[in-house]
Amino acid sequence: MIYNFAICLFVGVVRLIALFNKKVARMVKGEREAFDVLARKIDPQAKYIWFHAASLGEFEQGRPLIELIRRNYPQYKILQTFFSPSGYEVRKDYRGADVVCYLPLDTPRNVRRFLDAAHPCAAFFIKYEFWKNYLGALHRRGVPVYSVSSIFRPQQVFFRWYGVAYRDVLKCFTHLFVQNEESVRLLAGIGVTATTIVGDTRFDRVLDICRQAKELPLVEAFKGSNRYTLVAGSSWAPDEDIFIPYFNAHPEMKLIIAPHVIDENHLSEIESKLHRTAVRYTQATPENVCRADCLIIDCFGLLSSIYRYGEVAYIGGGFGVSIHNTLEAAVYGIPVVFGPNNQKFLEAQGLKACRGGFEITDATGFETLMDRFLSDEAFLSASGKAAGDYVKDNAGALDKIMDIVRL
């Protein structure tokens, strides 16, 4: 009753915020339309496997599993749901799923309507999704449900004295595929033992991305014969204030910037900080891109392929809320550099431990590290190899999961 009251209160707050926030308004609209999507697209005679991800990052973690099941079990159809517009708006046309929609909020009525319409025969919740009513209803209906790439910490509600009543939600999972030993230990301490350490499916995903990387002739022309190109991915203004001044002072290097926010204000701000020739990707030609020292990626969908053209990668976000995806760069066997807000990311800690990833806390630390990369080719090579080996050594989560899942 307390949970349902909180959910109803949450629904009211979300709808109020939607009056003033376009992103939240899209989410509310999408959730309302989800039942229409299901009514139009769900085949009552088909068997559906349901994947749910909060947003784009979680979707990318689940994607290799979706595509493996798609290949190996063609008799099933795939339903993909999202909670956040950051996932749905980017992947609403994802061809690996037969139906893509928002997940209606976790009220008892929504849950009944959703499960009656979708009638899934199995469900996979990616990483941090623990919706009590959905999981309880799936459990009562006898639908096997799995948690994939989840990670648990002592600070989470399940392990606090006030979270005792919420712990039962974890017992609704048929199996939890977790990332580390601490998660297994914490779960065992509250009586949840259907667990297996498989690591993170993102390692498998980035290896797939690497194998399928796009050929980008304009980026290749920009790179030319230059032996030292820094690729800055998902950068924010505090990141750019660190690496752009270094780039301005080092004519021997080139720079590719793929900012996290692509709007005219941010792009103009980047250009104002640059003291060397720059061109935007959407305005690049084979002629002008060769003359540029900096290439600004002002469109989406290219970054994971662009890292292949760099000798070093800078991953943005570490001077803000948190760093972005380090593995997309490391898979190409190049060292990755990032800011200090990386403690919650096991892959960042692993990259630091193997000396394939490097934390910097200010412009001075960045300058010292980059000077060494520029002057010490052996160090640069060894760091890149360590990053690439770290990704390869930690792949294999999919095989471990499918050894247990029975469809």
Side-chain angles (χ1 to χ4, degrees):
M1 290 179 63
I2 295 173
Y3 178 83
N4 287 334
F5 174 77
I7 285 292
C8 289
L9 182 62
F10 176 68
V11 170
V13 171
V14 167
R15 289 177 178 171
L16 179 62
I17 295 173
L19 298 174
F20 310 98
N21 185 295
K22 291 182 180 180
K23 180 178 178 180
V24 177
R26 286 199 302 270
M27 182 182 76
V28 170
K29 183 175 182 288
E31 288 171 356
R32 287 173 176 167
E33 294 174 346
F35 295 111
D36 292 334
V37 173
L38 295 176
R40 291 196 318 269
K41 295 188 176 182
I42 289 289
D43 179 355
Q45 307 304 316
K47 294 181 178 180
Y48 284 86
I49 297 177
W50 171 27
F51 286 84
H52 175 65
S55 59
L56 184 60
E58 287 78 11
F59 166 77
E60 291 298 332
Q61 284 184 288
R63 182 170 176 171
L65 185 59
I66 295 172
E67 295 178 355
L68 178 65
I69 289 175
R70 188 92 172 174
R71 289 193 302 271
N72 293 354
Y73 298 90
Q75 67 270 34
Y76 294 103
K77 291 194 173 185
I78 302 295
L79 166 64
Q80 173 69 57
T81 60
F82 291 97
F83 179 76
S84 167
S86 67
Y88 176 79
E89 295 299 330
V90 176
R91 295 300 182 209
K92 59 187 175 183
D93 298 320
Y94 172 55
R95 294 183 180 180
D98 299 280
V99 183
V100 181
C101 65
Y102 280 94
L103 180 68
L105 289 172
D106 193 31
T107 65
R109 181 173 181 269
N110 281 348
V111 169
R112 286 192 299 271
R113 290 182 66 193
F114 182 88
L115 294 182
D116 287 347
H119 57 86
C121 58
F124 293 84
F125 281 41
I126 311 301
K127 202 169 184 179
Y128 291 132
E129 292 299 273
F130 306 109
W131 296 108
K132 187 175 179 64
N133 287 323
Y134 277 108
L135 289 168
L138 288 165
H139 183 68
R140 290 189 296 273
R141 295 181 184 215
V143 177
V145 56
Y146 304 94
S147 178
V148 176
S149 289
S150 48
I151 184 167
F152 294 88
R153 299 181 179 89
Q155 298 80 14
Q156 288 171 300
V157 63
F158 312 111
F159 313 109
R160 299 291 193 172
W161 63 267
Y162 51 79
V164 172
Y166 197 56
R167 291 175 182 174
D168 286 345
V169 71
L170 298 177
K171 297 178 182 178
C172 295
F173 286 104
T174 306
H175 207 91
L176 293 101
F177 299 104
V178 301
Q179 292 192 35
N180 60 5
E181 181 66 42
E182 182 185 34
S183 296
V184 170
R185 179 181 57 79
L186 288 168
L187 292 169
I190 59 172
V192 178
T193 57
T195 60
T196 300
I197 302 171
V198 300
D200 192 337
T201 52
R202 283 183 299 170
F203 290 95
D204 300 84
R205 173 63 184 149
V206 296
L207 284 169
D208 281 342
I209 291 173
C210 180
R211 286 189 286 266
Q212 300 169 25
K214 302 172 185 176
E215 295 289 337
L216 300 171
L218 285 174
V219 181
E220 193 163 338
F222 167 79
K223 168 75 173 175
S225 59
N226 179 266
R227 73 171 193 86
Y228 193 81
T229 300
L230 172 68
V231 178
S234 300
S235 64
W236 296 79
D239 303 301
E240 291 146 13
D241 287 339
I242 286 179
F243 63 73
I244 288 180
Y246 186 89
F247 161 75
N248 286 334
H250 289 81
E252 69 272 33
M253 68 179 287
K254 287 194 170 187
L255 173 64
I256 301 174
I257 307 176
H260 185 73
V261 176
I262 298 176
D263 61 32
E264 186 57 37
N265 288 338
H266 190 196
L267 295 174
S268 296
E269 181 184 347
I270 290 172
E271 289 170 334
S272 71
K273 296 175 182 178
L274 293 166
H275 299 160
R276 298 170 61 192
T277 307
V279 63
R280 298 186 188 186
Y281 185 83
T282 58
Q283 299 171 1
T285 67
E287 293 74 31
N288 67 15
V289 77
C290 295
R291 298 191 296 270
D293 299 314
C294 177
L295 179 62
I296 303 171
I297 309 302
D298 57 342
C299 54
F300 293 107
L302 301 181
L303 179 57
S304 60
S305 295
I306 285 174
Y307 282 124
R308 66 193 293 197
Y309 297 102
E311 277 69 47
V312 179
Y314 181 98
I315 310 301
F319 290 92
V321 176
S322 60
I323 60 170
H324 296 285
N325 194 332
T326 56
L327 298 180
E328 282 188 343
V331 71
Y332 291 105
I334 60 175
V336 293
V337 183
F338 40 80
N341 197 348
N342 61 72
Q343 302 306 312
K344 292 184 178 180
F345 296 87
L346 292 180
E347 67 275 16
Q349 307 313 306
L351 283 165
K352 288 195 293 184
C354 75
R355 301 296 292 168
F358 300 85
E359 176 185 315
I360 53 103
T361 57
D362 53 29
T364 301
F366 178 77
E367 181 178 350
T368 300
L369 179 62
M370 294 295 284
D371 283 348
R372 186 172 180 191
F373 282 141
L374 272 170
S375 62
D376 190 341
E377 191 169 331
F379 175 65
L380 175 64
S381 177
S383 301
K385 183 178 185 304
D389 288 347
Y390 174 74
V391 175
K392 294 172 187 174
D393 292 345
N394 284 277
L398 293 182
D399 292 337
K400 296 174 185 177
I401 291 170
M402 296 312 297
D403 282 344
I404 294 174
V405 170
R406 293 291 178 265
L407 298 174

